[in-house]
Amino acid sequence: MLNVPSQSFPAPSSQQRVASGGRSKVPLKQGRSLMDWIRLTESGKDLTGLKGKLIDVTEEELKKHNKKDDCWICIRGCVYNVSPYMEYHPGGEDTLMSAAGSDGTDLFNQIHPWVNYESMLKVCLVGRMAVKPTVSKGMLPKSQVTDILAKEGPSSPSYDWFQTESLVTIVIYTKQKDINLDSVIVDHQDDSFRAETIIKDYSYLIHLGLSHEIQEDFSVRVVENVGKIEIVLKKKENTFWKSLGHSLENHNSFIPKKDAGLYYRRCRLISKEDVTHDTKLFCLMLPPSTHLQVPIGQHVYLKLTITGTEIVKPYTPVFDSLLSEFQEPVLCNSKYIYFLIKIYPAGLFTPELDHLQIGDYVSISSPEGNFKKSRIEELEDLFLLAAGTGFTPMVKILNYALANIPSLRKVKLMFFNKTEDDIIWRSQVEKLTFKDKRFDIEFILSAPTSEWNGKRGYISPALLSEFLKRSSDKSKVLICICGPTPFTEQGIRLLHDLNFSKDEIHSFTA
Ligand code: FAD
Ligand code: NAD
């Protein structure tokens, strides 16, 4: 890789030579402070010109970007487009330009190795230096990546691995920035090791029979700003692995998610609590050798064998309580998954689920669903229309929005049920209105007793137009709707009649 020779820095005419200690700051123009830079980086502006894509950069390509208005610099293997940062750089433009189109790692290490450039420059990240594969790491010969993607689809991830005496680390380079711990699902069962990474609507699979035994628990880390996933496995015996293992079905494939099929793992029933007369909170535990987090707004499939036939139904995970403090995935890497499930006495699946004993097993699929968390970002008004167990996707959305969206002014839940006894987590919902002043609730009952003083009936234009009041004329709004199919269909029609656009509505369906 290219390196700026250290003797060329500081350049004879550089500002850096002026100051004692070899470090100097240049006066910055107005509006070019660190705070201004942070504001710019958070504005959502495309600062690399690559629309969020990460690319592999060759040395030849890097060299081409050596002008002030097109300046790429490599630091510790990552390439940044620093042109937008020029005027904000406390050390001046000349210093940055001295590493233009080259590897500035030495320069950087000399001046400010402590600076968290990864965070400061994350929106300027262009990609990684394309490194030639090394034989010494004992890489598996890569099988052909199934490249059936349309040209505009994400480019295929790749993987590599390395080892220490006691650990084996598998590294997945996704080439995408918007990945997190939800994006990767890892299962180690019997002789199969699977790591499925979801990138936009595509699935990248590592599927191997490992060459040696590993311990049950492993850790998963994500370096979000470089799109790197690290799975750290613990060796059972501290021996040197000559290879990672042998390929199993669809190993190293990158295909549309819809073609990938669902993978199930057996989970133990830990507890079952009554919530209403017919709805229960089920807690299931993932196997120790599984890493799986269900993203907000997504569901999974539960599978049971009922009289010799495998039956599968979709369910939306919730938290153990509506009042749980929202935790970033990195903190809540929990092994427990909670479900609010209504038992239908004449139903096929739910009576069977209800008959399970604590300690029995249910299979859980990988997550599915088309809700994107990004739809909540920068929202001002969030309206949730839920009917019966259609409340379940609202639990995580509500929790996430109140904890993480500073722009949010109003969150209203319109909760449709037959009777008061059917209202799921009523006291928790009411408590939340006291806990957070932005949150409000309206219960609407379709078959109330004569004592009910609140609103009654089915979803209607009158109820909706009174309920869906924006906090300002042009406020950014999202309306989420979920419940029985006729409820959802009618609701969507009414919302269109009330002039809400498609982009302002998300309906939860199968
Ligand atoms: P089913 O056998 O489907 O029967 C349901 C009811 O319909 C029963 O009362 C039954 O008597 C009646 N019925 C069945 N067939 C007929 C018929 N031919 N004519 C008249 N009536 C009939 N549910 C939850 O409780 N919690 C959730 O988190 C949840 N999440 C979901 C997420 C998604 C994406 C979807 C699509 C659904 C979700 N559901 C959820 C619903 C769930 O998937 C099941 O549909 C539900 O649990 C009923 O399953 P069952 O097999 O017990 O009942
Ligand atoms: P329910 O029968 O108790 O009805 C709840 C309310 O829905 C009623 O009080 C009424 O206001 C409204 N409603 C019912 N039928 C209606 C109709 N024909 N027209 C207009 N409004 C109507 O509801 P439930 O038994 O709890 O069923 C919940 C439904 O939500 C299920 O169909 C389930 O599949 C669905 N659900 C979907 C998802 C998802 O897609 N992600 C998640 C959870 C639940």
Side-chain angles (χ1 to χ4, degrees):
M1 271 221 289
L2 298 171
N3 248 323
V4 174
S6 49
Q7 61 270 33
S8 73
F9 179 81
S13 58
S14 165
Q15 304 266 357
Q16 310 291 332
R17 291 215 182 249
V18 182
S20 62
R23 190 148 185 263
S24 169
K25 293 190 173 180
V26 298
L28 297 170
K29 285 188 206 155
Q30 251 212 311
R32 295 292 181 271
S33 67
L34 177 59
M35 206 51 228
D36 294 315
W37 172 249
I38 290 169
R39 268 189 220 114
L40 178 64
T41 62
E42 285 175 356
S43 67
K45 212 169 160 189
D46 175 16
L47 295 183
T48 59
L50 294 171
K51 296 190 179 116
K53 272 198 180 168
L54 296 177
I55 57 173
D56 285 341
V57 184
T58 59
E59 287 187 12
E60 292 71 31
E61 184 63 34
L62 179 64
K63 272 188 204 162
K64 289 184 205 160
H65 302 269
N66 59 1
K67 292 166 221 66
K68 203 171 137 184
D69 59 353
D70 177 21
C71 178
W72 290 11
I73 294 179
C74 172
I75 307 174
R76 297 179 191 160
C78 290
V79 179
Y80 298 90
N81 177 352
V82 295
S83 293
Y85 182 61
M86 287 276 173
E87 294 190 343
Y88 298 82
H89 184 220
E93 297 180 5
D94 290 351
T95 324
L96 282 179
M97 281 310 293
S98 66
S102 66
D103 189 332
T105 307
D106 286 353
L107 175 72
F108 178 83
N109 286 345
Q110 279 176 41
I111 304 179
H112 33 41
W114 59 91
V115 169
N116 185 357
Y117 69 96
E118 284 171 311
S119 156
M120 291 258 297
L121 294 180
K122 60 179 184 280
V123 290
C124 297
L125 183 70
V126 168
R128 291 171 53 82
M129 285 304 289
V131 224
K132 292 175 196 85
T134 47
V135 189
S136 58
K137 282 182 184 166
M139 257 169 60
L140 261 191
K142 278 193 186 150
S143 63
Q144 208 60 40
V145 170
T146 321
D147 202 359
I148 57 164
L149 306 179
K151 275 206 179 103
E152 61 274 14
S155 55
S156 175
S158 57
Y159 80 99
D160 198 351
W161 71 284
F162 58 88
Q163 60 184 309
T164 63
E165 197 186 357
S166 56
L167 304 174
V168 168
T169 302
I170 300 175
V171 188
I172 302 167
Y173 301 105
T174 67
K175 300 177 194 158
Q176 294 292 326
K177 284 185 195 173
D178 54 352
I179 57 146
N180 51 48
L181 280 172
D182 295 352
S183 314
V184 62
I185 302 155
V186 185
D187 289 280
H188 181 231
Q189 290 194 52
D190 306 321
D191 292 333
S192 140
F193 177 86
R194 285 178 108 258
E196 184 181 9
T197 306
I198 306 301
I199 298 163
K200 303 209 183 319
D201 293 327
Y202 291 86
S203 155
Y204 176 66
L205 182 68
I206 290 177
H207 192 194
L208 297 163
L210 295 177
S211 63
H212 293 68
E213 284 191 74
I214 55 168
Q215 294 180 33
E216 226 174 29
D217 60 318
F218 51 77
S219 62
V220 180
R221 292 196 295 251
V222 170
V223 189
E224 289 187 24
N225 51 1
V226 290
K228 191 168 79 170
I229 297 165
E230 290 178 343
I231 305 164
V232 185
L233 311 175
K234 293 180 194 158
K235 293 179 181 176
K236 226 173 199 170
E237 282 169 23
N238 292 351
T239 50
F240 179 78
W241 292 21
K242 281 194 192 136
S243 78
L244 187 53
H246 59 276
S247 304
L248 295 176
E249 199 186 352
N250 296 328
H251 171 62
N252 211 9
S253 63
F254 188 49
I255 58 174
K257 188 168 183 285
K258 63 180 171 44
D259 300 332
L262 283 174
Y263 182 78
Y264 288 85
R265 67 282 299 151
R266 274 157 52 83
C267 298
R268 202 145 59 89
L269 178 63
I270 297 296
S271 63
K272 185 171 63 169
E273 265 172 43
D274 287 342
V275 173
T276 68
H277 63 101
D278 60 3
T279 301
K280 300 189 179 184
L281 181 69
F282 289 81
C283 174
L284 294 168
M285 189 173 73
L286 290 164
S289 49
T290 290
H291 164 89
L292 183 157
Q293 292 180 175
V294 183
I296 292 168
Q298 296 205 6
H299 55 269
V300 294
Y301 292 86
L302 298 190
K303 182 164 80 175
L304 283 175
T305 302
I306 301 173
T307 56
T309 307
E310 283 190 344
I311 307 289
V312 162
K313 293 265 166 143
Y315 295 94
T316 313
V318 295
F319 292 123
D320 58 342
S321 139
L322 189 63
L323 301 166
S324 297
E325 294 296 327
F326 184 86
Q327 294 185 315
E328 279 303 320
V330 73
L331 298 173
C332 66
N333 193 5
S334 169
K335 288 279 169 205
Y336 301 106
I337 304 192
Y338 293 88
F339 297 93
L340 282 166
I341 297 182
K342 179 186 270 196
I343 311 299
Y344 296 88
L348 176 62
F349 192 83
T350 48
E352 207 67 29
L353 193 66
D354 195 29
H355 287 142
L356 293 181
Q357 303 295 309
I358 303 304
D360 284 350
Y361 286 87
V362 186
S363 294
I364 296 191
S365 78
S366 302
E368 288 242 305
N370 57 8
F371 183 81
K372 299 266 182 301
K373 204 165 76 176
S374 57
R375 296 198 70 175
I376 313 181
E377 309 301 338
E378 289 169 29
L379 264 192
E380 291 167 272
D381 299 328
L382 175 62
F383 297 112
L384 308 171
L385 310 179
T389 56
F391 173 65
T392 52
M394 311 306 177
V395 171
K396 283 190 182 179
I397 292 179
L398 192 54
N399 204 301
Y400 174 78
L402 289 174
N404 290 279
I405 310 298
S407 53
L408 205 64
R409 290 193 218 155
K410 206 196 268 187
V411 184
K412 284 179 92 176
L413 170 67
M414 201 177 210
F415 199 178
F416 295 81
N417 283 279
K418 295 196 287 277
T419 70
E420 278 186 85
D421 290 344
D422 293 315
I423 302 174
I424 296 170
W425 280 351
R426 178 175 181 178
S427 71
Q428 294 195 34
V429 171
E430 286 171 339
K431 268 190 200 141
L432 191 58
T433 61
F434 294 110
K435 197 174 158 205
D436 196 314
K437 292 285 166 241
R438 294 168 299 171
F439 177 63
D440 204 1
I441 166 81
E442 187 94 67
F443 296 114
I444 293 112
L445 301 184
S446 57
T449 59
S450 52
E451 283 105 71
W452 176 248
N453 294 322
K455 295 227 158 65
R456 49 183 75 211
Y458 280 100
I459 193 165
S460 69
L463 280 174
L464 289 187
S465 53
E466 189 195 329
F467 178 74
L468 301 170
K469 296 249 162 59
R470 292 173 186 263
S471 55
S472 70
D473 279 356
K474 288 196 174 136
S475 64
K476 193 169 177 227
V477 168
L478 180 69
I479 305 166
C480 296
I481 180 162
C482 187
T485 307
F487 165 87
T488 307
E489 287 176 355
Q490 200 183 338
I492 294 170
R493 275 197 303 276
L494 295 175
L495 292 172
H496 288 313
D497 292 348
L498 289 169
N499 289 326
F500 287 100
S501 70
K502 247 179 155 182
D503 289 345
E504 292 174 324
I505 304 168
H506 183 89
S507 61
F508 289 89
T509 46

